């Protein structure tokens, strides 16, 4: 009886193996994983057509949408309704010892890097524009660029003083406004901005601030806030402290 039971178990085990083998490939019916070659072909053809149709619809939608976009001006500018400001050196806290160049060299180098494209020798290749007049170029494919020479920043140009005032404890801060094509808050001749593609050599006008700190101000954290002023510019919204303004802190020691 024991032998008969063992034979029965072996027979059942062999039947299970045969069943799995037949499921993977049945030589009698020619089925692979339960389907014939023609059945697999029809399924693959269906999915090929189905996903091809989806890809075609997606491509057509993207094509139509891109045709409605202007390469030079963003279609929607609601997120930049008011200009944003940034400062260079790029830091919320500017802390340094005026008697130790290693403390402020990173700030000085960042300002030199920023102003390299404003070098007078480079800017002289650009156009002299009429002060107080918008530089309208709607019909020009490639827009001209108005000169903004580094030397215009005077004490904060890094030319008469290569340390930008950091060595004497009176640091310069450069303020940039975002490239908003519809707001013109500096001299009109630098606007409008037509976008990166049509205005590839455009340089933003800058504002330089020199903090005339005295020794009485040393070792005390000074909070500085700069705002964009204008009749339709919001710069005092407590819900957004970065809208139309920028705040930073400066602490100088010696």
């Amino acid at each position: 009886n024991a032998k008969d039971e063992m034979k029965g178990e072996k027979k059942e085990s062999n039947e299970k193996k045969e069943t799995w083998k037949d499921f993977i490939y049945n030589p009698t019916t020619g089925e692979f994983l339960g389907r014939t070659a023609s059945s697999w072909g029809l399924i693959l053809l269906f999915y090929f057509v189905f996903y091809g149709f989806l890809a075609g619809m997606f491509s057509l939608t993207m094509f139509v949408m891109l045709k409605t976009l202007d390469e030079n001006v963003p279609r929607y500018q609601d997120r930049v309704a008011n200009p944003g400001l940034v400062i260079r050196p790029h830091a919320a806290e500017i802390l340094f010892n005026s008697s130790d160049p290693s403390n402020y060299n990173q700030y000085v180098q960042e300002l030199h890097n920023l102003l390299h494209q404003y070098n007078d020798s480079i800017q002289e290749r650009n156009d002299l524009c009429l002060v107080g007049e918008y530089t309208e170029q709607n019909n020009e494919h490639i827009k001209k660029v108005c000169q903004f020479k580094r030397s215009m920043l005077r004490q904060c140009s890094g030319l008469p003083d290569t340390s930008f005032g950091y060595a004497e404890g009176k640091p310069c801060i450069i303020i940039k406004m975002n490239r908003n094509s519809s707001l013109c808050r500096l001299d009109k001749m630098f606007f409008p901005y037509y976008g990166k593609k049509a205005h590839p050599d455009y340089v933003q006008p800058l504002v330089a601030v020199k903090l005339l700190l005295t020794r009485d101000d040393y070792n005390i954290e000074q909070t500085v806030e700069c705002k964009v002023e204008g009749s339709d510019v919001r710069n005092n919204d407590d819900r957004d402290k970065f809208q139309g303004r920028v705040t930073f802190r400066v602490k100088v020691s010696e």
Side-chain angles (χ1 to χ4, degrees):
N1 291 334
K3 289 182 179 180
D4 291 340
E5 287 180 3
M6 291 180 65
K7 287 180 181 179
E9 289 177 358
K10 288 181 179 178
K11 183 178 180 181
E12 186 178 336
S13 176
N14 290 334
E15 287 177 353
K16 288 182 179 179
K17 289 181 180 179
E18 292 296 327
T19 302
W20 274 106
K21 287 181 180 179
D22 288 344
F23 175 73
I24 295 173
Y25 178 71
N26 190 327
T28 304
T29 61
E31 293 179 346
F32 176 71
L33 295 179
R35 292 184 181 274
T36 62
S38 59
S39 177
W40 278 115
L42 289 173
I43 288 176
L44 293 175
L45 178 62
F46 168 78
Y47 280 111
F48 178 78
V49 173
F50 177 69
Y51 285 112
F53 174 77
L54 291 181
M57 286 292 293
F58 176 77
S59 300
L60 179 62
T61 303
M62 291 297 295
F63 175 78
V64 172
M65 184 188 72
L66 292 174
K67 280 294 184 181
T68 65
L69 300 179
D70 189 325
E71 292 182 336
N72 301 319
V73 181
R75 183 176 178 84
Y76 299 107
Q77 301 191 54
D78 56 306
R79 295 190 66 182
V80 288
N82 284 278
L85 297 178
V86 294
I87 64 165
R88 294 293 184 271
H90 186 63
E93 293 184 330
I94 300 175
L95 314 174
F96 67 96
N97 186 320
S98 61
S99 61
D100 184 0
S102 64
N103 266 202
Y104 57 78
N105 274 343
Q106 59 180 1
Y107 302 138
V108 171
Q109 189 58 51
E110 186 176 348
L111 292 177
H112 276 298
N113 292 341
L114 169 67
L115 295 179
H116 175 74
Q117 62 182 328
Y118 293 86
N119 283 345
D120 290 15
S121 59
I122 296 175
Q123 288 300 308
E124 284 170 359
R125 305 171 197 165
N126 296 331
D127 293 85
L128 285 170
C129 301
L130 295 175
V131 176
E133 297 289 336
Y134 287 115
T135 309
E136 298 283 356
Q137 309 174 71
N138 295 326
N139 298 323
E140 301 294 331
H141 180 63
I142 298 297
K143 316 302 182 184
K144 67 178 181 180
V145 179
C146 296
Q147 290 186 11
F148 191 99
K149 293 183 177 180
R150 180 174 183 167
S151 57
M152 293 169 60
L153 299 178
R154 299 186 181 180
Q155 297 181 62
C156 289
S157 65
L159 299 176
D161 175 11
T162 57
S163 77
F164 292 94
Y166 284 79
E168 59 175 341
K170 298 178 180 180
C172 285
I173 309 295
I174 304 294
I175 302 171
K176 298 171 60 180
M177 186 174 72
N178 64 355
R179 294 181 176 184
N180 193 314
S181 58
S182 61
L183 288 172
C184 314
R185 301 301 167 193
L186 296 168
D187 196 287
K188 292 181 180 180
M189 68 177 177
F190 297 108
F191 300 95
Y193 169 58
Y194 288 95
K196 188 174 183 179
K197 189 177 180 84
H199 231 156
D201 298 321
Y202 178 83
V203 289
Q204 297 167 262
L206 305 173
V207 173
V209 177
K210 188 175 180 68
L211 303 179
L212 301 178
L213 303 178
T214 65
R215 279 189 168 80
D216 293 336
D217 301 313
Y218 288 179
N219 300 308
I220 300 174
E221 187 175 83
Q222 311 289 335
T223 300
V224 183
E225 182 179 73
C226 298
K227 295 182 177 181
V228 177
E229 297 291 347
S231 57
D232 58 349
V233 175
R234 295 194 301 271
N235 57 20
N236 56 1
D237 190 344
D238 290 334
R239 294 172 300 177
D240 188 350
K241 296 184 180 297
F242 300 98
Q243 189 177 67
R245 57 181 167 171
V246 63
T247 302
F248 57 96
R249 293 177 294 276
V250 178
K251 185 176 180 180
V252 181
S253 58
E254 65 173 352

